[in-house]
Amino acid sequence: MKTFLITILFLLQGWISKADSLWVHHIGVGQGDATLIVAWQTNLTGGVDTTTVLIDAGNSSGKGTAVYNYVNDVLGTIKHVNFVITSHLHSDHIGGMPMVLQKFHDN
């Protein structure tokens, strides 16, 4: 997973280099993985633009809810994820993704 995350960060370096602040959260979901990347950038009007990337969402045994709750708590008033990436098609990485996507779609 570390190599995959480093590769993703390298590919997103243009976006990341423009960010005023960058947070990387590794979300504890048991055996599976989930990572949230949040970047803030001041826009031309003085406001703040936020871009979010969710990589994986844990397994399907309730972990989608744990990932959603964590992401929702971190993002606060921001109720969306800009990009969703799956590292590979194993259930401990993507099993919770349908629940996460549904919950963000509902909100």
Side-chain angles (χ1 to χ4, degrees), residues 53-100:
V53 179
L54 179 63
I55 304 171
D56 294 337
N59 62 34
S60 59
S61 63
K63 300 301 183 182
T65 300
V67 171
Y68 172 78
N69 290 340
Y70 184 93
V71 171
N72 201 39
D73 287 346
V74 168
L75 298 181
T77 59
I78 304 164
K79 298 297 182 187
H80 68 278
V81 174
N82 297 98
F83 303 98
V84 174
I85 299 170
T86 57
S87 61
H88 60 281
L89 300 177
H90 287 170
S91 63
D92 60 333
H93 292 262
I94 65 164
M97 194 65 75
M99 185 179 298
V100 170

Side-chain angles (χ1 to χ4, degrees), residues 1 8-9 13 15 17 28 37 43 45 67 70 75 78-79 89 93 101 105 107:
M1 180 64 180
I8 292 298
L9 291 175
Q13 70 181 342
W15 162 67
S17 66
I37 302 172
N43 62 31
T45 62
V67 171
Y70 184 93
L75 298 181
I78 304 164
K79 298 297 182 187
L89 300 177
H93 292 262
L101 294 176
H105 181 269
N107 291 327

